[in-house]
Amino acid sequence: VSTQSTWGQMPIWSKGGDAADDLIHTFTVGDDYLWDRILCPYDVLASIAHAKMLHKVELLSEADAQALQAGLHTLYHEFKAERWTVEATDEDVHSKVEALLTSRLGDPAKRLHTGRSRNDQVMTDVRMWQKDKLIDLSQLLLDTIGQFLEKAEAYEFHPLPGYTHLQRGMPSSIGQFFGGHASCLLENLILLNAAYQLCDRCPLGSGAGYGVGLPLDRSYTSQLLGFERPPTIAMADANSRGKVETATLDALGAVLNDISRFAADLVFFTSNECGFFSIASQFTTGSSIMPQKRNLDLFELMRGRASRFLGLRTGLQATTVGLFSGYNRDVQDTKAVLMEGVRMAEGMLAALKKAVPSLTPVTTNITAALTPELYATDVAYQMMLDHKMPFRDAYVEVGRNLTSLPPQNHEEIVRRRTHVGSTGNLQLPALRRQCESERQVWVSRGQHLHAAWSALLE
């Protein structure tokens, strides 16, 4: 009896004559094989580590271990050279790698799956990929923050209206505007760091959620793959699938939410009704019907995609709500949602990093908006200090005489607000130092991780 269906080779789980119906195969695989293409190098690296561990605990002979490692090295470099990938007929990356090895090595390849399930395999691959991406994204975020700080430093004491309820309320500054957004973005590294730590535990060896009846050395495998946290209870590994991915999208979602607020500010501040900033024409688009229009679609789409991202994050977490412990096929779909979310965040950060340097203040429009009532609170404070009045009395007095408020020296007001975080004391050098400190952490992580992976390929 044939063990193959019309869609290709015998599946990794087949015992002979039990291939799935073609339609069922198409439904269960879906587009998962496309996302598995991203995981190919990580899967090969994890398999090298697993082969080394099997040999260490005497579950694999020296000859088989050497054959498998050599074969996996070849597969790694062939993938990098685009000589193979995962196809719909392969079901997943694990099946593809095993099939390629079996066609070349025979029996040694059949021993590679000893002590592991495709569940702990894919969890390990995804955790490796997540760590790699979080390192890249955190450094991209720091690069983007650096662009904000350059603007804040260049225009530190330049006045700008501060808005509440979308109405001009108090004096602010361009330095505070860009510095404030930079500070918000920088805080998200706390969340990104937490997400990284959750990813930094190796699930390989946990099987389908209950471990295996073999003397696996999970700590050795974890060390080879560059994981820092020690292995834990197998069922906790299985149940963490989806939770760890959600934590990554939570951290990136906070970044995108901050970006969406900056984008909303820019849509307003660059409008004809406001005109506080201009941006180079290559960052705008035109209208198909109105020849005069130049639209800031870039920032409008950033707002929209932050909302779309929230849908991905919600869908990811919802997949695991109420799920029975151990492996369930539902979690297959967490991979696509995670990867799509990471791709979206990566694109938004890259676009923002490129766009911010092109923003230029339009000082004439800003100055025109710095009308006397903007300084009403400052006048009340000055009255309180000069006449030893209670603030509430000064507040009432100024509020009754808004039409007679005197003009103010805009830059002087900005500079004399000297408490921490106000326009005259933004502490931008401290933000710079914090950025550098954070960068060192992420660079060190990347060096450690890639050193471990490079060692597997030696």
Side-chain angles (χ1 to χ4, degrees), residues 117-383:
S117 161
R118 285 185 296 176
N119 183 50
D120 61 339
Q121 278 187 264
V122 73
M123 279 199 294
T124 303
D125 296 352
V126 172
R127 301 282 163 88
M128 292 168 69
W129 175 82
Q130 279 179 268
K131 289 171 66 179
D132 214 8
K133 278 297 178 184
L134 284 168
I135 289 167
D136 289 344
L137 283 163
S138 294
Q139 293 185 76
L140 178 57
L141 174 59
L142 286 164
D143 290 342
T144 306
I145 292 168
Q147 298 297 337
F148 278 81
L149 290 177
E150 283 192 17
K151 289 294 181 185
E153 291 159 349
Y155 301 101
E156 184 171 359
F157 301 110
H158 288 231
L160 181 74
Y163 283 74
T164 67
H165 309 280
L166 205 55
Q167 300 176 63
R168 292 196 299 274
M170 298 183 77
S172 180
S173 68
I174 297 174
Q176 191 174 57
F177 174 70
F178 282 104
H181 281 294
S183 184
C184 285
L185 289 169
L186 188 57
E187 282 189 327
N188 294 319
L189 286 161
I190 297 171
L191 298 172
L192 289 166
N193 180 64
Y196 187 88
Q197 290 185 57
L198 283 172
C199 295
D200 207 13
R201 171 174 276 154
C202 182
L204 197 58
S206 62
Y210 303 99
V212 298
L214 295 169
L216 305 182
D217 189 340
R218 294 186 64 197
S219 295
Y220 179 65
T221 310
S222 176
Q223 176 188 341
L224 289 175
L225 291 172
F227 287 92
E228 290 291 313
R229 299 170 68 215
T232 189
I233 295 171
M235 194 180 82
D237 282 323
N239 286 2
S240 72
R241 190 173 178 188
K243 180 179 79 172
V244 173
E245 289 85 343
T246 300
T248 293
L249 291 198
D250 278 343
L252 293 175
V255 175
L256 267 55
N257 187 59
D258 286 338
I259 292 174
S260 76
R261 298 196 71 170
F262 176 75
D265 290 347
L266 261 295
V267 170
F268 176 63
F269 283 163
T270 57
S271 68
N272 289 337
E273 285 70 21
C274 197
F276 292 166
F277 293 95
S278 64
I279 192 168
S281 61
Q282 61 263 37
F283 294 98
T284 66
T285 63
S287 165
S288 66
I289 188 172
M290 297 168 284
Q292 82 281 9
K293 293 293 296 297
R294 297 298 300 181
N295 303 316
L296 208 62
D297 290 358
L298 169 67
F299 291 108
E300 292 174 357
L301 284 169
M302 285 182 181
R303 287 187 311 194
R305 287 182 185 168
S307 298
R308 179 176 154 197
F309 182 95
L310 181 60
L312 292 173
R313 183 255 174 237
T314 303
L316 176 53
Q317 184 179 33
T319 301
T320 61
V321 170
L323 208 58
F324 195 75
S325 292
Y327 175 71
N328 298 274
R329 190 70 180 263
D330 312 50
V331 294
Q332 171 180 297
D333 286 351
T334 63
K335 184 196 309 173
V337 179
L338 169 69
M339 290 181 170
E340 174 64 12
V342 168
R343 184 198 64 80
M344 190 181 297
E346 202 168 29
M348 284 178 65
L349 276 170
L352 186 61
K353 175 188 169 185
K354 192 168 188 177
V356 168
S358 184
L359 291 165
T360 304
V362 182
T363 54
T364 53
N365 291 345
I366 292 172
T367 301
L370 298 171
T371 50
E373 67 273 11
L374 193 70
Y375 300 96
T377 303
D378 291 86
V379 172
Y381 282 142
Q382 195 62 49
M383 186 179 294

